Amino acid sequence: MVNEGASSTIVDTDPHEHLEFAPFVGKEFNTEDDAKEFYNNFAYRRGFSIRKGHHYTSAKLKKVTMVQYVCSMEGFPNKPTNQSTPEKEKAYTRTGCKARFKVRLQGGVWKVSVFEDIHNHPLVTSPAKKGSLRSHRKLDYEDKEYTKDNFSRVRHGGTKNLKFKRKGAINEIASQNRKLVSMDVEALLVHFQKKQEKDPEFFYDAEVDESGRLKNMFWVDGRARRAFQEFGDVVTFDTNFKANKYSMPLAPFIGMNHHRMPIIFGIAMLRSEEKVSLIWLFQTWVKAMYDKEPRAIITNEDEDSAMRIAIKEAFPNTIHRCCQWHVMRKASDHLGAIYSIKPGFEDELKRVINRSMTVSEFEKGWRDMLRNYDLGNNRHLKVMYEKRSEWVPAYFRGVFFADMSTTHISESANSPLKLWTNDHSSMYQFVLQVEKTVGGIWANESDEDIANMKAVPELSSFHLIEKDAHQVYTSKVMSIFKGILKKTQLGEVNEVEKDALYEVAINDHPIIQNWIPETYIIKINKSEELVSCSCKRYEFEGLLCSHAIKVMHHVRMFHLPNRYIMKRWCKDANACTKRSNFERSMEFGSTQELQAIRFATLKPQVMKLLKMASRSSNAFKLFQKILDVAEQQMQEVTDKQETLTCEIDTSTRIPSQVILEPPISQCKEKRKQPQRFNPQSEAKKPRRCGTCGSNKGGHNSRTCPLKKVQGRKREDDDVDSEEGQDVESDGAYEYEDLSG
């Protein structure tokens, strides 16, 4: 059904499917609350939220006799008079929707007098997201009882009726955990098998060593496999987090979704980070992602070549980049003393690294920096320069990295695990906590989808390009794009060749002090709506830069060309991810992904029929006849099509033998994290004694030898003066000997 609203036309879902639950004029309710609950339940089925519009109180009866409930997007926002754009904008959620539900008190009952169900905004169709709508976010009595710290209280009618104490409950939990000893991996595999029954696209695989112990484990859910097809262009890979009793690093593949939030594309646990294990993991991961490789991958700086070689062998077409933040942190450790004795060097180093637009510009700036600060022989600067092609931004300006240059998004995804896991967690417990973190990430994405569906952001300028961007970009991306539009006020446009080549010169900056003038070259073709800038921001981030937009305005191009709207930043970027398996199974094509989806969709139904057919001989014979006919018909269909050569990988090939636990890491207390490198120049100075002032001898004011001498002196104060002088001179000699 197509609804026409005040501002736009929205394709709505069919309201007739909810007809039996829909209100109608004349319907009666006993109380006002019954009417509200009925309309709210109807709103939940339709996919919108409600709120109270207004009511009428009878002066004669002195009570409410009319109440009107409206869609939560009824009316229009009260726009602020201040037109400045705050750093974090509030998205407006009013679109002037006309849907309403009015009831009146007549003859002691509440009757529906007005009912309109026409919306001018999208309705929520996903059941998982309907619960996020405001009028549906509530806990009933049973839900509240379930959330209490001990469900058994409710079950038994109160704490007084419990037949155990709190200590007994704790002991029972500990007993359950002890059962995992020598069964940790087995419990985990059973857990994965149950997940695969619920999610046919769930994938897991394991590798064992020569002694039959678990060596590596990998798993990923079906939603992540689908999401990778949309957002798997850039991933980060980090193995720094270890919080289980086996000291097996957690190795997640993490990307960025259209809300610029982390999204996990698969998780692994590795016994070692050797080349063989990494190659196994990367190849298994690509198989799970339907043989699709990422376009780019970011890892931490690697001292040895294991990671580098494994990525090159497993992802031959993927561009590998090291985390710039880790490189600069290590540089700070090594060059900290130089920063302090050579003022301006740190700022110059960062400027050469981050502001160089081309490789040649970077290399020239690096040579000039070494010459100006006389650092040509610095060993660490030489190491940084030798590896420059692995981390310097100038080498990656023309490659799409979704504006990522570090692995910080991996650390933000791992941070919840640090609160709920420790170095004594079993593998099974660890995986359960990981799954909770993944579930939280999916919930956050759904909440953002809902917020973007309802939001009507306020324009901060009169740019038509901003209006175009608001219609397609998510709110997080739009806030970045508004910052880009602000920067179009900087600089001047110089025409080199009319309607073809321009320069944008930024000679000064109103905020940044000691600004170094910059010039950008913009090529443009107005007729074909083509534009490119030497800063290559669109190629790297997927958003047009301020220099290109400034020239577009100069040549009177006022709209955002469709070719420069990257789908991965749009509101509907994850539309395919949210579609059901059945919908995607009907798509035309024979790719490996579609074949696997069709197989996974049919498998539960076929398994159900097999169980029914095995219950009796008559059912078995009937099913056998059905299979014969179906096989003949399927053969006729497949003969008319090309032979499909790609192999369908729908199950996990886990070794048939029992998999033993990996060796437990010996650790009584919390394991120490890797320490930062402390160069000799930053060596800690010896502590100076507060009593004698000496920094030698390895003592402090509490253990100072001078205190002992002074103590003996006080004890001998009653002795004659000659003996006191001897003691004093002996004490002075002893102190000088120890401190010197």
Side-chain angles (χ1 to χ4, degrees):
M1 174 176 139
V2 178
N3 286 338
E4 295 186 3
S7 59
S8 61
T9 301
I10 301 297
V11 178
D12 197 1
T13 56
D14 184 6
H16 296 291
E17 60 180 308
H18 310 284
L19 194 58
E20 60 178 306
F21 307 101
F24 56 87
V25 175
K27 186 175 179 60
E28 298 181 353
F29 301 95
N30 293 328
T31 64
E32 176 194 341
D33 291 338
D34 291 344
K36 178 184 177 182
E37 183 180 0
F38 183 86
Y39 186 53
N40 194 43
N41 291 337
F42 170 76
Y44 178 82
R45 295 177 180 274
R46 289 278 281 139
F48 66 96
S49 178
I50 69 168
R51 59 183 171 84
K52 182 182 285 188
H54 63 273
H55 66 275
Y56 173 76
T57 302
S58 172
K60 182 178 180 180
L61 300 177
K62 295 183 180 181
K63 62 180 179 179
V64 176
T65 58
M66 188 277 293
V67 179
Q68 177 170 279
Y69 296 96
V70 296
C71 175
S72 61
M73 304 187 76
E74 180 268 346
F76 295 95
N78 295 322
K79 300 180 181 179
T81 55
N82 185 9
Q83 294 299 323
S84 61
T85 305
E87 196 168 310
K88 184 176 180 181
E89 289 188 345
K90 176 185 177 182
Y92 299 106
T93 58
R94 304 287 181 89
T95 62
C97 182
K98 299 297 183 181
R100 58 179 180 152
F101 172 78
K102 182 185 293 187
V103 290
R104 293 183 180 275
L105 182 61
Q106 298 176 358
V109 296
W110 291 84
K111 292 185 178 181
V112 179
S113 59
V114 177
F115 171 60
E116 295 181 8
D117 192 35
I118 299 178
H119 300 264
N120 67 345
H121 56 89
L123 299 180
V124 179
T125 57
S126 171
K129 295 180 179 179
K130 290 179 180 180
S132 299
L133 297 175
R134 185 165 186 174
S135 67
H136 309 308
R137 294 199 302 258
K138 62 179 181 179
L139 290 174
D140 55 23
Y141 176 78
E142 290 78 7
D143 293 331
K144 292 178 182 178
E145 296 299 335
Y146 267 89
T147 58
K148 292 184 179 179
D149 55 346
N150 192 348
F151 169 67
S152 295
R153 291 189 214 165
V154 182
R155 236 180 100 216
H156 293 277
T159 306
K160 62 181 180 180
N161 295 327
L162 292 178
K163 298 180 180 180
F164 57 86
K165 295 185 179 294
R166 183 172 179 270
K167 182 66 176 177
I170 295 176
N171 291 339
E172 176 62 23
I173 295 173
S175 175
Q176 294 293 333
N177 291 338
R178 283 194 296 270
K179 291 179 181 179
L180 294 176
V181 177
S182 74
M183 294 180 57
D184 200 3
V185 175
E186 183 180 350
L188 183 60
L189 293 178
V190 171
H191 174 69
F192 283 163
Q193 290 168 5
K194 291 181 179 179
K195 288 186 69 69
Q196 202 169 53
E197 292 176 1
K198 298 179 181 179
D199 178 9
E201 285 189 90
F202 182 86
F203 179 96
Y204 68 100
D205 204 352
E207 185 182 30
V208 297
D209 59 14
E210 298 80 5
S211 60
R213 294 186 178 274
L214 180 68
K215 185 178 181 182
N216 303 310
M217 172 71 78
F218 171 79
W219 71 96
V220 59
D221 59 38
R223 183 169 178 177
R225 298 177 74 182
R226 299 193 297 271
F228 182 80
Q229 310 307 313
E230 306 292 343
F231 306 112
D233 38 21
V234 184
V235 297
T236 64
F237 182 73
D238 183 12
T239 59
N240 283 343
F241 184 66
K242 304 176 183 178
N244 54 80
K245 64 182 181 181
Y246 308 105
S247 284
M248 295 177 69
L250 184 72
F253 296 89
I254 300 180
M256 180 185 289
N257 66 9
H258 54 317
H259 300 297
R260 301 184 70 89
M261 297 166 60
I263 181 171
I264 297 181
F265 296 129
I267 305 169
M269 296 179 70
L270 307 173
R271 278 252 299 275
S272 69
E273 299 178 52
E274 299 175 350
K275 183 185 73 171
V276 177
S277 295
L278 291 172
I279 290 177
W280 174 88
L281 172 60
F282 293 154
Q283 292 177 345
T284 303
W285 180 61
V286 170
K287 179 176 66 176
M289 297 298 112
Y290 304 110
D291 286 338
K292 179 180 178 180
E293 299 178 8
R295 292 165 56 184
I297 186 171
I298 304 174
T299 65
N300 290 342
E301 187 184 18
D302 192 24
E303 294 295 342
D304 54 37
S305 59
M307 180 78 72
R308 195 176 299 107
I309 295 175
I311 290 176
K312 189 174 182 180
E313 182 172 334
F315 309 138
N317 302 317
T318 299
I319 297 176
H320 178 209
R321 178 178 186 175
C322 292
C323 174
Q324 184 179 343
W325 183 85
H326 284 87
V327 174
M328 297 305 295
R329 189 192 72 173
K330 187 173 292 185
S332 178
D333 291 337
H334 285 271
L335 306 175
I338 299 177
Y339 290 164
S340 60
I341 64 177
K342 292 184 179 291
F345 168 68
E346 183 179 4
D347 293 336
E348 180 66 11
L349 175 64
K350 293 179 180 179
R351 187 194 68 79
V352 171
I353 292 172
N354 296 319
R355 304 303 299 174
S356 298
M357 294 295 107
T358 62
V359 173
S360 58
E361 183 180 346
F362 164 76
E363 293 179 346
K364 180 180 181 302
W366 188 274
R367 290 193 299 269
D368 294 342
M369 177 189 68
L370 296 181
R371 183 175 62 254
N372 294 338
Y373 290 93
D374 192 22
L375 294 172
N377 295 324
N378 185 277
R379 184 169 60 182
H380 188 71
L381 289 175
K382 287 183 178 180
V383 173
M384 292 176 66
Y385 188 75
E386 289 172 358
K387 296 183 177 182
R388 62 191 182 278
S389 62
E390 299 176 3
W391 63 275
V392 174
Y395 288 84
F396 304 98
R397 296 244 180 239
V399 182
F400 181 75
F401 270 91
D403 196 29
M404 290 191 293
S405 59
T406 69
T407 57
H408 280 178
I409 196 168
S410 295
E411 296 174 10
S412 66
N414 291 340
S415 58
L417 294 174
K418 298 176 182 179
L419 300 175
W420 306 110
T421 59
N422 54 55
D423 298 319
H424 304 284
S425 299
S426 68
M427 188 178 299
Y428 178 68
Q429 294 169 328
F430 186 73
V431 169
L432 292 182
Q433 294 299 333
V434 171
E435 289 179 352
K436 291 179 181 179
T437 301
V438 174
I441 290 175
W442 292 128
N444 292 338
E445 180 180 305
S446 298
D447 291 343
E448 285 294 326
D449 288 340
I450 290 289
N452 277 266
M453 184 183 299
K454 297 171 59 179
V456 184
E458 178 72 7
L459 296 177
S460 62
S461 69
F462 297 104
H463 290 300
L464 294 178
I465 286 181
E466 182 182 357
K467 184 178 180 181
D468 294 342
H470 265 306
Q471 295 177 357
V472 292
Y473 289 147
T474 62
S475 58
K476 295 291 180 64
V477 176
M478 193 61 218
S479 64
I480 297 175
F481 193 73
K482 284 186 177 182
I484 294 174
L485 291 176
K486 274 188 176 181
K487 293 181 180 179
T488 58
Q489 303 174 35
L490 297 174
E492 296 179 354
V493 178
N494 301 318
E495 183 180 290
V496 179
E497 182 180 348
K498 185 175 177 58
D499 293 337
L501 190 64
Y502 293 85
E503 289 182 351
V504 173
I506 305 177
N507 298 319
D508 53 11
H509 199 285
I511 300 177
I512 302 177
Q513 297 180 353
N514 301 323
W515 175 261
I516 299 177
E518 297 177 344
T519 302
Y520 300 92
I521 308 299
I522 292 88
K523 298 178 181 179
I524 195 166
N525 187 325
K526 186 176 179 180
S527 60
E528 297 184 11
E529 295 188 328
L530 294 173
V531 61
S532 64
C533 179
S534 58
C535 75
K536 297 187 180 298
R537 178 165 187 164
Y538 177 79
E539 289 80 358
F540 181 78
E541 185 180 356
L543 297 174
L544 281 178
C545 63
S546 59
H547 325 115
I549 295 176
K550 190 175 185 70
V551 173
M552 288 170 62
H553 287 160
H554 183 77
V555 299
R556 304 187 65 80
M557 287 178 59
F558 299 119
H559 290 278
L560 187 62
N562 290 331
R563 68 172 70 232
Y564 297 112
I565 299 176
M566 192 170 288
K567 184 182 177 183
R568 67 137 28 247
W569 299 131
C570 295
K571 298 176 183 178
D572 61 345
N574 61 347
C576 182
T577 303
K578 296 183 293 185
R579 294 172 59 198
S580 66
N581 284 346
F582 180 78
E583 292 175 323
R584 297 166 65 229
S585 300
M586 302 302 292
E587 292 181 6
F588 179 79
S590 58
T591 64
Q592 183 179 1
E593 178 189 3
L594 287 176
Q595 291 184 63
I597 292 171
R598 290 169 186 148
F599 186 96
T601 304
L602 293 173
K603 183 179 177 181
Q605 187 176 3
V606 173
M607 293 300 296
K608 181 179 178 180
L609 292 175
L610 288 174
K611 291 179 180 178
M612 295 172 63
S614 62
R615 291 173 182 170
S616 67
S617 59
N618 292 334
F620 176 80
K621 294 177 181 178
L622 175 61
F623 191 64
Q624 188 66 49
K625 293 179 180 179
I626 295 174
L627 287 178
D628 293 339
V629 175
E631 183 179 3
Q632 182 179 357
Q633 293 178 349
M634 291 298 298
Q635 189 65 42
E636 295 175 357
V637 173
T638 53
D639 287 344
K640 297 178 181 178
Q641 300 176 348
E642 282 187 46
T643 303
L644 304 179
T645 58
C646 57
E647 178 185 355
I648 304 176
D649 189 6
T650 59
S651 59
T652 306
R653 291 185 292 273
I654 298 294
S656 57
Q657 73 271 19
V658 177
I659 302 178
L660 304 177
E661 280 69 29
I664 298 178
S665 177
Q666 298 300 321
C667 176
K668 293 183 179 179
E669 302 295 337
K670 185 173 179 64
R671 294 179 177 84
K672 294 182 179 180
Q673 298 297 324
Q675 299 296 317
R676 293 180 59 184
F677 172 80
N678 291 321
Q680 190 66 30
S681 60
E682 295 184 4
K684 189 175 181 180
K685 295 180 180 179
R687 177 178 293 180
R688 186 176 295 276
C689 176
T691 301
C692 66
S694 172
N695 61 356
K696 299 179 181 180
H699 66 272
N700 53 32
S701 60
R702 185 174 58 83
T703 59
C704 181
L706 182 59
K707 277 192 172 183
K708 299 180 180 179
V709 175
Q710 292 173 344
R712 289 199 299 268
K713 178 182 176 182
R714 285 192 296 270
E715 292 175 0
D716 296 337
D717 280 344
D718 296 335
V719 188
D720 59 316
S721 59
E722 184 179 352
E723 292 177 352
Q725 291 176 359
D726 292 339
V727 172
E728 185 178 353
S729 62
D730 291 342
Y733 173 81
E734 180 184 358
Y735 165 68
E736 291 175 359
D737 181 65
L738 288 172
S739 62

